[in-house]
Amino acid sequence: MEEAGSSQQFLIFSIISSILVSVVLSFVYWLKSQKAKENETVQLEDDKPEPQKVEQKTSKKSAPAKAGSKKPGKRAAPTSHPLYINMLRGHSDTIVDMDMDQNGKLLATASGDGTVRTWFIKDMDKGKEIKYTRIPLDTMPGSVSISPDGKAVAVLLPSNNAVEIYRLGKKPGDEASCVLTISNIKGDLKDVAISPTGRFIMVSTVTTTVFIYTLKGELLHVLDTAQINNGQVSISPCNDMIAASGFTPEVHLWAVQFGKSATSSPFQQVREAMDLSGHKSGVYSFSFSGDTRRAVTVSKDGTWRVFNIDVSWQLKEDPKLICCGTVAEDGPAQVAMSQDGKVVAIATDVNINLYNADTAELMDTLEAVHSDAILRISFSDTGKYLYTSGSDKSVRVWLNRAGIVREVETWTESLKVATNSSHKERLKQQIADARAQLQELAGEK
């Protein structure tokens, strides 16, 4: 009886064990089949071709760019531009500053490559190779200024807190020698300029300080511009006025005054002269006409303004607004005024617009004339050429077509009142020659 019970229990246990083994094997088989299906799905997904990118075709006719927008597209080769005259090449880094002497014979450029070059630009013909003198420095220059006689250059060296004065040779390639170093100048240095009268050297900092030195390096005066920070600081072309822009929406001018002794001209004082006001935001850049009777400013508020500054500032007479206009593009802008005060040039990014300085009328547009941002812009002493430089390491020279148009206007008005027959004939010939040149530039016969 006990043996029969034991046999029955063994049989039940065997049946249960078989069932459990079957369930386990079935579950394992199911897992393997699911894994295989997943692998197959992943393989199929991997084998699917990637979707192709479809480029949208644009119409040849595009909407005109709005003021403040940058024009897209390939930048044109500058040498093919009808107003292109020449290019000064050789620097291997950004040109941070440039300055021209009063006689239009020399152009100085300061570059991040640690050199200054003085270019002999008296004969600026189309495509002609321009000779230069190279001045190697032991650090990167921040600013450069040529002396009134064109015989020396002042170079600002911010990392050394110093200014070095180099005497230039008479011919291109002649070695320039350092004849004076003004050292231990306090602050982060920004600009240097030699006064057009040759009486003093100005050095500005990025804060609000301007130092005034003699040509021997003796400190005459320390000026506080009260601008929170200095933007552009420079000297007017002919009357020893220091002008400064910065955080505030105006340009301040001070007269640096000297005695009138026949034997010597001792320094007397720095006197506040006038403000160029009317903007709603800080001023990017400003420029003077050659006779310092006019000035132009361009501001972060997107406008530019031309002023008559030939006023009796000693009697508190304010400068007079001549005209104002709107900057074509957003962003930093550089401005220059022609020597005769008749044309204003404004550079934004790689483009230049030229305006009538009496009416603010747009006269000419030069698009994509540099491959990178324009940092400096200046007219030649005669106003015939416009010089531009910047981040693409070159100086480019352009014919001032707007200036030719303004000259024709002036000659035409003079012809109306001329009484001398030879004078009339000379004016008629000048007008005819200028109009022929304008027609040639426009591609007309």
Side-chain angles (χ1 to χ4, degrees):
M1 196 68 184
E2 289 179 359
E3 289 180 3
S6 298
S7 298
Q8 187 176 5
Q9 289 178 355
F10 178 80
L11 179 60
I12 294 170
F13 177 79
S14 298
I15 293 172
I16 293 173
S17 297
S18 298
I19 293 172
L20 290 173
V21 170
S22 298
V23 169
V24 171
L25 290 174
S26 297
F27 181 73
V28 171
Y29 177 79
W30 179 81
L31 284 177
K32 287 182 178 181
S33 64
Q34 291 296 319
K35 184 73 172 177
K37 287 180 179 180
E38 289 177 3
N39 290 338
E40 183 179 359
T41 301
V42 171
Q43 183 65 37
L44 288 173
E45 290 292 329
D46 291 341
D47 290 341
K48 287 182 180 180
E50 292 184 3
Q52 295 183 353
K53 296 180 179 179
V54 180
E55 295 183 359
Q56 295 182 351
K57 296 182 178 180
T58 57
S59 171
K60 292 183 180 180
K61 294 182 179 181
S62 58
K66 297 179 180 178
S69 65
K70 293 184 179 180
K71 301 174 179 63
K74 187 177 180 180
R75 290 172 175 172
T79 54
S80 64
H81 197 286
L83 302 184
Y84 170 82
I85 297 297
N86 214 327
M87 187 184 304
L88 312 183
R89 290 177 289 191
H91 283 298
S92 59
D93 206 331
T94 297
I95 295 175
V96 296
D97 195 21
M98 68 177 182
D99 186 42
M100 191 179 304
D101 77 330
Q102 293 178 335
N103 298 319
K105 295 180 179 180
L106 283 178
L107 177 77
T109 54
S111 170
D113 62 12
T115 67
V116 164
R117 295 190 182 209
T118 55
W119 308 83
F120 289 72
I121 59 172
K122 182 180 179 181
D123 299 318
M124 181 56 69
D125 296 326
K126 186 159 186 161
K128 181 180 179 180
E129 182 181 358
I130 305 300
K131 296 181 180 180
Y132 61 87
T133 294
R134 181 178 180 272
I135 305 175
L137 307 168
D138 62 2
T139 185
M140 175 179 167
S143 179
V144 65
S145 178
I146 303 182
S147 63
D149 58 9
K151 295 181 179 180
V153 292
V155 183
L156 186 76
L157 303 175
S159 62
N160 293 352
N161 286 91
V163 170
E164 292 181 346
I165 310 296
Y166 289 84
R167 185 173 298 281
L168 303 174
K170 294 182 179 180
K171 298 181 296 182
D174 286 351
E175 184 177 355
S177 57
C178 183
V179 295
L180 175 66
T181 299
I182 304 174
S183 56
N184 299 319
I185 306 174
K186 296 181 179 179
D188 296 325
L189 307 188
K190 184 172 179 61
D191 287 311
V192 65
I194 301 175
S195 102
T197 59
R199 288 176 169 178
F200 64 92
I201 298 172
M202 178 219 75
V203 181
S204 69
T205 69
V206 298
T207 54
T208 63
T209 306
V210 175
F211 299 98
I212 300 173
Y213 294 91
T214 68
L215 296 185
K216 295 181 179 181
E218 300 165 347
L219 183 63
L220 291 175
H221 187 78
V222 180
L223 173 67
D224 185 352
T225 64
Q227 284 275 23
I228 300 180
N229 56 63
N230 287 331
Q232 177 185 345
V233 183
S234 61
I235 306 174
S236 62
C238 66
N239 60 1
D240 283 349
M241 280 196 178
I242 292 178
S245 67
F247 182 80
T248 60
E250 60 272 325
V251 176
H252 299 298
L253 281 80
W254 296 265
V256 182
Q257 297 181 320
F258 291 81
K260 298 181 180 180
S261 170
T263 56
S264 64
S265 299
F267 169 75
Q268 290 185 334
Q269 64 179 341
V270 175
R271 184 178 173 186
E272 188 171 350
M274 68 184 86
D275 292 339
L276 308 181
S277 58
H279 288 296
K280 297 179 180 178
S281 188
V283 174
Y284 281 127
S285 174
F286 59 87
S287 179
F288 297 96
S289 62
D291 57 9
T292 318
R293 292 184 176 182
R294 287 187 169 190
V296 59
T297 59
V298 62
S299 168
K300 296 177 183 178
D301 64 12
T303 66
W304 56 275
R305 302 168 75 88
V306 176
F307 298 88
N308 174 10
I309 61 173
D310 186 21
V311 297
S312 300
W313 59 266
Q314 299 90 338
L315 302 177
K316 304 297 182 181
E317 185 178 356
D318 293 327
K320 299 175 177 62
L321 180 66
I322 295 174
C323 68
C324 58
T326 302
V327 182
E329 297 180 88
D330 292 334
Q334 292 293 315
V335 67
M337 176 170 276
S338 61
Q339 294 292 308
D340 59 10
K342 294 180 179 179
V343 178
V344 169
I346 298 178
T348 51
D349 191 28
V350 297
N351 307 313
I352 305 168
N353 288 309
L354 292 101
Y355 300 90
N356 185 317
D358 291 309
T359 65
E361 173 192 1
L362 177 64
M363 300 187 68
D364 219 338
T365 297
L366 286 70
E367 295 182 338
V369 293
H370 277 258
S371 60
D372 211 335
I374 299 170
L375 301 180
R376 293 291 184 272
I377 183 170
S378 178
F379 284 97
S380 63
D381 64 314
T382 62
K384 183 178 180 180
Y385 301 122
L386 180 67
Y387 289 75
T388 58
S389 66
S391 300
D392 63 4
K393 311 168 190 176
S394 67
V395 177
R396 305 187 182 189
V397 189
W398 313 94
L399 182 65
N400 177 19
R401 177 166 53 188
I404 300 175
V405 174
R406 293 305 316 268
E407 283 185 330
V408 170
E409 293 173 355
T410 301
W411 293 332
T412 301
E413 291 300 315
S414 297
L415 183 60
K416 293 178 182 179
V417 297
T419 56
N420 183 282
S421 58
S422 60
H423 185 209
K424 284 184 177 180
E425 290 303 317
R426 185 168 62 254
L427 287 172
K428 288 178 181 179
Q429 188 60 51
Q430 289 174 320
I431 293 171
D433 292 344
R435 285 176 174 168
Q437 184 179 13
L438 291 171
Q439 288 177 349
E440 182 181 356
L441 291 171
E444 301 174 3
K445 293 184 180 180

